[in-house]
Amino acid sequence: MSGHMGVDIPAGARDARAGYQVTSRFDTGVLTFTLTRSQTRTFLAAYPPRGELLEPTAAATDVRTHDFRHLGVPEPESFKKGMRYGSVCPGTDPEPTAGPDPLTDPYGTSDAGCVSLYAHDYAPDRTRIYLRDHYEPGISPLPTAPPTSSGTR
């Protein structure tokens, strides 16, 4: 999923999880991992947000998405405290505008090539990074898993 989104998972990341759901309306790719605060600053410098990272004014009490729950982590929209969010567009220069708001445009339909990023400071020195993107069903290439070594020759 990392390669499909154009975002590298940092070497020091922990608890990396990814998923891809195919539906008739749109496909959804999700990726999440945890970093130290220092690693988070480095990661965000490598993938600067389009505009400023925003802080939610309230946690969504009626979170409609279920993308990350399938991976065993809470939905990023359910947090108010310690949350920042925005759009990152790997491989492009960030523009001064904020781009689509993942809370009001959760499907990211406004910016091709951009992914929704959420950074949740859930512990004193740990941040969980959430990334979500949507793809045209049946048109976008499906992500491929990296080759694994089987141990046989």
Side-chain angles (χ1 to χ4, degrees):
M1 208 53 246
S2 167
H4 204 62
M5 290 181 173
V7 177
D8 294 325
I9 299 174
R14 293 186 192 164
D15 195 27
R17 305 173 192 199
Y20 193 87
Q21 182 180 19
V22 176
T23 67
S24 61
R25 186 168 161 210
F26 54 81
D27 296 353
T28 302
V30 293
L31 174 64
T32 184
F33 49 87
T34 66
L35 301 169
T36 64
R37 291 282 164 47
S38 172
Q39 292 168 326
T40 299
R41 284 189 292 278
T42 301
F43 176 79
L44 293 175
Y47 300 101
R50 182 174 234 179
E52 294 293 318
L53 281 176
L54 305 172
E55 294 181 13
T57 55
T61 57
D62 62 339
V63 175
R64 296 168 292 167
T65 63
H66 58 274
D67 304 324
F68 291 95
R69 278 186 266 168
H70 292 292
L71 301 178
V73 295
E75 294 299 316
E77 294 89 351
S78 66
F79 297 106
K80 177 181 178 185
K81 186 178 178 186
M83 177 59 73
R84 295 163 286 159
Y85 67 93
S87 294
V88 296
C89 307
T92 65
D93 290 328
E95 295 181 11
T97 61
D101 182 338
L103 294 180
T104 59
D105 183 14
Y107 304 117
T109 55
S110 300
D111 272 320
C114 296
V115 298
S116 297
L117 176 135
Y118 304 83
H120 181 233
D121 299 333
Y122 69 94
D125 191 43
R126 298 297 298 177
T127 300
R128 177 169 290 282
I129 300 294
Y130 295 85
L131 298 161
R132 178 188 291 131
D133 201 3
H134 296 280
Y135 305 95
E136 295 279 338
I139 297 174
S140 302
L142 293 174
T144 57
T148 59
S149 85
S150 62
T152 59
R153 296 178 190 223

